[in-house]
Amino acid sequence: MNGERLHKALGTADWQKAQQIVRELETGTNRTDMRTQIGPTTLDQAWLRFMADLDARKLHPETIRKYRLLQKQMKEFVAHKGTSLSRAA
């Protein structure tokens, strides 16, 4: 951006969402730093960031599989309790 390389975690494992964030950064429509955005992090957002971190660290597939199982179990638990993962933590 502006002739300089920008190395920044986008906080998503979704390729299309990442491309959208990059486009917004390039066009200047998203001028705030992601760390300064006000508001709580939802559990869904936290899982996305966590899974992106696991992928970035290139952990063993079995380790990632176990975390995906935990994520599934958490979703089932909150569904059983009558809430959702999209609520702020």
Side-chain angles (χ1 to χ4, degrees):
M1 295 182 57
N2 299 328
E4 295 182 32
R5 291 184 68 100
L6 176 66
H7 297 276
K8 181 178 186 176
L10 299 177
T12 183
D14 183 345
W15 179 257
Q16 290 180 344
K17 187 173 181 178
Q19 291 294 333
Q20 176 68 32
I21 293 169
V22 169
R23 280 192 297 277
E24 289 173 358
L25 288 170
E26 289 174 341
T27 60
T29 57
N30 183 3
R31 294 187 184 271
T32 60
D33 187 337
M34 291 174 64
R35 292 173 290 171
T36 62
Q37 292 178 352
I38 298 173
T41 300
T42 65
L43 289 172
D44 280 332
Q45 292 169 337
W47 268 109
L48 279 174
R49 290 180 188 154
F50 181 70
M51 296 307 285
D53 179 62
L54 295 179
D55 290 336
R57 291 190 291 153
K58 299 185 186 322
L59 295 180
H60 194 275
E62 278 299 305
T63 302
I64 294 173
R65 184 188 65 79
K66 290 176 185 176
Y67 281 115
R68 289 193 194 281
L69 175 62
L70 176 62
Q71 180 184 24
K72 178 184 171 210
Q73 291 170 338
M74 284 181 73
K75 284 183 178 183
E76 290 171 358
F77 175 80
V78 295
H80 177 69
K81 291 293 183 182
T83 184
S84 73
L85 285 176
S86 60
R87 294 178 93 188

